Amino acid sequence: MSSAPETPAVVTRRLGYLLKHAQLRLAELQEPLLAPHGVTGRQVAVLALLADGEPQAQQEAAARLGVDRTTMVQLVDELEDKALVRRHVDPADRRRRIVTPTEEGLRVLKAATEASEEAERRLLGPLDGRDADALREALRAVVHHR
């Protein structure tokens, strides 16, 4: 049985390659840790956003996460099917649907957050704490720069 050839440095030095493969590795680590909680990484992100602060409309949550409305509807549908969120009509504007986490959603969020943090620790294991923090800050600066 032959092993796959090593990817050449001309490729592995490219930022796109590194970001893509870091994300794939994080998903690979995260998936089995989240599975016992019955949620995906994307669903955890939605729960975390909805649990952070005031109730928000589904459309606002989509904009804040940077996902299209169709994807957000699908994610909220999945979470609602699992009884992790609840949709309500906004009394101030009956066209808006407010989405809030249920008590079970908050419980799952807490456990899934711990699982996600463990996956991140495993991914960043080769780095010391200072380098891991620096990587997060550098990526945050790049993502939020306009």
Side-chain angles (χ1 to χ4, degrees), residues 47 83-86 100-110:
L47 276 173
L84 301 178
V85 300
R86 189 175 306 116
T100 57
T102 62
E103 287 301 316
E104 178 64 5
L106 294 173
R107 187 197 66 72
V108 167
L109 174 60
K110 183 179 185 307

Side-chain angles (χ1 to χ4, degrees), residues 84-138:
L84 301 178
V85 300
R86 189 175 306 116
R87 288 180 172 116
H88 315 285
V89 173
D90 183 349
D93 181 351
R94 300 203 47 81
R95 296 169 295 178
R96 288 178 33 152
R97 306 287 286 175
I98 302 297
V99 184
T100 57
T102 62
E103 287 301 316
E104 178 64 5
L106 294 173
R107 187 197 66 72
V108 167
L109 174 60
K110 183 179 185 307
T113 297
E114 291 170 5
S116 290
E117 289 170 352
E118 175 59 25
E120 290 178 12
R121 277 191 294 278
R122 291 179 187 182
L123 177 73
L124 298 175
L127 304 177
D128 67 30
R130 205 171 42 226
D131 286 344
D133 290 344
L135 176 59
R136 286 176 196 274
E137 288 306 312

Side-chain angles (χ1 to χ4, degrees), residues 9-28:
V10 69
V11 174
T12 61
R13 284 193 299 253
R14 303 206 45 94
L15 183 60
Y17 174 91
L18 293 170
L19 290 171
K20 174 186 174 185
H21 286 273
Q23 173 59 38
L24 290 172
R25 180 71 178 127
L26 179 59
E28 179 183 283

Side-chain angles (χ1 to χ4, degrees), residues 40-111:
T40 65
R42 293 180 81 178
Q43 292 170 345
V44 173
V46 172
L47 276 173
L49 179 66
L50 295 174
D52 184 40
E54 295 184 28
Q56 40 193 311
Q58 192 169 291
Q59 192 170 359
E60 294 164 353
R64 290 181 68 195
L65 283 176
V67 299
D68 63 78
R69 292 187 327 203
T70 302
T71 299
M72 180 56 81
V73 168
Q74 179 184 358
L75 287 165
V76 172
D77 284 348
E78 292 167 358
L79 291 168
E80 191 173 44
D81 289 347
K82 296 174 184 182
L84 301 178
V85 300
R86 189 175 306 116
R87 288 180 172 116
H88 315 285
V89 173
D90 183 349
D93 181 351
R94 300 203 47 81
R95 296 169 295 178
R96 288 178 33 152
R97 306 287 286 175
I98 302 297
V99 184
T100 57
T102 62
E103 287 301 316
E104 178 64 5
L106 294 173
R107 187 197 66 72
V108 167
L109 174 60
K110 183 179 185 307

